[in-house]
Amino acid sequence: MSDSPIDPRLRGALDKVIDPELRRPITELGMVQSARVDGTTAHVTILLTVSGCPMRGTIETDVTEALGAVGGVTDVSVDVGVMTPAQREELQETLGHRKANPFADPHNLTRVHAVTSGKGGVGKSSVTVNIAAALAAMGRTVGIVDADIHGFSVPGLLGITQPPTRVGDMILPPVVEVPVDLTTPADDAAPGASRRRAERGVIKVISIGMFVDPSQPVAWRGPMLHRAVEQFLTDVHFGDLDHLLLDLPPGTGDIAISVGQLLPNSGVLVVSTPQHAAVTVAERSGALAQQTDQKVTGVVENMSAMVLPDGTRMEVFGSGGGATIAASLTERLGYDVPLLGEIPLDVTVREAADRGEPAVWANPESPAARHLWEVARALDEQGRDLAGRSLGITVRG
């Protein structure tokens, strides 16, 4: 995309500058129009995807730091321009973006999890965000679609204030990075177990809350709800994902049915609280998978027994609901539906959410966070069946 040469002395440094939204080198994306050295000063012209790009400051800083480390360079001059429509079209071709739902392709290896619940108030969104954050800290690239159109909350739970960037008919979702200094519990997640530095995966998020005034209600009905979810899957460029989580609204309404139609290969993760009054409605949300040809991959019991300072447990909302749902769905659906975790009621989860942080990052060894790590590991280990899938590999004799 660039007509002007890049000085070979600067090429290596610029190759290491990663676009914060697209997660690829700016040289690969055609964002470097020119780069040259004049004496001891490096002059570079960067083309942003759009005017007013929210990541301009980050890109300028990263370019300055990268070129400042080149031998013989003492000063860096960064000029910023904007891509032409033709260059943006070429960028979309480089990214392989097509106005289609890539996750509906049976050969797509992204593991898709539709997180659902029978009723509201069970902490489904919090569970979704913390699972995504734990997976990212394992080095995975994770996407979240906040499909709870009327009750969107994911941006706030992750502290996202940056709007998406629109490049032509392509939408670039905000990206949340794993904290640099985060350490995670060992695989057994036991208290006091050895810790290790987290991997640097990312979370890419899209939500209707990024497009509307959060103080105004979204008064949409069935067809508009379906179209909104469809646009999230077709217009948003997530790139290559290891996992895609959809935070669904509670119940078995329009969006749950739409997700079954749009993502026939998705698994369903049922979230419920322990009390038996919630069991029947949670079972219904899982049983819907039978009608939409999805598979229930597991049950998460949230707000389980609270661990008190003296080590005793208080069952604020009762006990056994998650196990009951898992057993009932196993019998009803004819395959094993595991209980993936019992997340204790933990004030640190609420405190972290109020700050816009996942609890698994803010307090990784808290009682709830340790169990959330276990749920994320269980989902990650389930994997995808590769039988009959094309891996894009050609064997030559």
Side-chain angles (χ1 to χ4, degrees):
M1 291 175 62
S2 175
D3 296 325
S4 301
I6 298 176
D7 191 305
R9 289 171 289 177
L10 306 180
R11 165 71 73 171
L14 291 170
D15 284 342
K16 297 176 183 178
V17 178
I18 306 300
D19 180 88
E21 292 178 306
L22 294 169
R23 314 305 299 176
R24 289 171 66 171
I26 59 174
T27 49
E28 186 179 308
L29 298 172
M31 296 176 65
V32 182
Q33 185 179 56
S34 63
R36 60 184 175 83
V37 178
D38 184 5
T40 60
T41 301
H43 297 271
V44 60
T45 299
I46 301 297
L47 297 179
L48 302 176
T49 53
V50 293
S51 177
C53 173
M55 293 290 101
R56 172 175 176 162
T58 300
I59 294 171
E60 287 183 294
T61 299
D62 291 348
V63 167
T64 300
E65 290 181 355
L67 295 184
V70 174
V73 172
T74 58
D75 295 293
V76 178
S77 173
V78 180
D79 292 324
V80 177
V82 179
M83 288 182 177
T84 64
Q87 288 173 321
R88 284 194 285 269
E89 287 183 10
E90 191 173 343
L91 172 63
Q92 292 190 50
E93 291 180 8
T94 299
L95 296 171
H97 179 77
R98 299 290 182 271
K99 199 172 179 63
N101 174 10
F103 307 107
D105 184 345
H107 299 298
N108 189 298
L109 297 180
T110 299
R111 284 166 277 181
V112 182
H113 314 278
V115 186
T116 184
S117 66
K119 59 192 291 293
V122 301
K124 169 180 50 59
S125 298
S126 178
V127 168
T128 301
V129 164
N130 277 283
I131 289 175
L135 288 168
M138 297 176 198
R140 310 296 183 255
T141 300
V142 186
I144 300 180
V145 171
D146 188 356
D148 193 348
I149 304 297
H150 296 130
F152 54 85
S153 59
V154 171
L157 293 173
L158 282 167
I160 297 174
T161 57
Q162 171 199 339
T165 300
R166 185 179 290 276
V167 181
D169 60 359
M170 178 177 67
I171 298 173
L172 305 180
V175 177
V176 181
E177 297 182 334
V178 175
V180 175
D181 57 351
L182 178 67
T183 57
T184 68
D187 287 347
D188 60 9
S194 60
R195 297 172 62 81
R196 61 187 179 195
R197 184 172 295 278
E199 300 292 334
R200 296 301 308 282
V202 297
I203 309 173
K204 302 179 180 183
V205 183
I206 197 70
S207 170
I208 196 65
M210 299 171 180
F211 301 92
V212 301
D213 182 348
S215 66
Q216 297 298 316
V218 180
W220 292 356
R221 301 184 71 175
M224 292 183 69
L225 296 173
H226 178 92
R227 180 58 181 151
V229 176
E230 186 176 35
Q231 282 193 279
F232 285 161
L233 298 172
T234 59
D235 294 1
V236 177
H237 180 75
F238 283 104
D240 294 329
L241 297 179
D242 296 301
H243 295 268
L244 176 66
L245 286 78
L246 294 98
D247 182 23
L248 271 58
T252 56
D254 293 314
I255 290 182
I257 296 171
S258 292
V259 167
Q261 295 170 341
L262 296 168
L263 298 166
N265 300 315
S266 59
V268 175
L269 182 65
V270 180
V271 179
S272 178
T273 47
Q275 71 265 39
H276 288 272
V279 168
T280 301
V281 289
E283 286 177 5
R284 288 199 296 267
S285 67
L288 178 65
Q290 197 170 35
Q291 300 177 35
T292 55
D293 294 325
Q294 296 168 283
K295 182 177 181 180
V296 180
T297 53
V299 175
V300 175
E301 180 182 285
N302 195 31
M303 304 184 195
S304 190
M306 177 186 288
V307 180
L308 300 179
D310 62 1
T312 59
R313 294 161 57 87
M314 177 183 292
E315 296 176 345
V316 179
F317 295 108
S319 64
T324 300
I325 296 168
S328 175
L329 288 175
T330 295
E331 180 178 356
R332 180 169 184 168
L333 301 177
Y335 54 81
D336 180 49
V337 177
L339 175 61
L340 298 179
E342 296 172 305
I343 316 302
L345 188 63
D346 188 341
V347 69
T348 63
V349 175
R350 192 271 304 164
E351 291 173 341
D354 286 348
R355 297 192 303 269
E357 296 181 80
V360 295
W361 291 355
N363 304 284
E365 291 208 52
S366 65
R370 290 199 303 269
H371 286 271
L372 285 161
W373 282 105
E374 292 177 355
V375 173
R377 291 189 183 102
L379 284 178
D380 193 52
E381 290 168 0
Q382 284 182 353
R384 285 284 301 271
D385 184 5
L386 300 182
R389 298 182 186 276
S390 172
L391 299 180
I393 300 173
T394 301
V395 179
R396 301 183 184 276

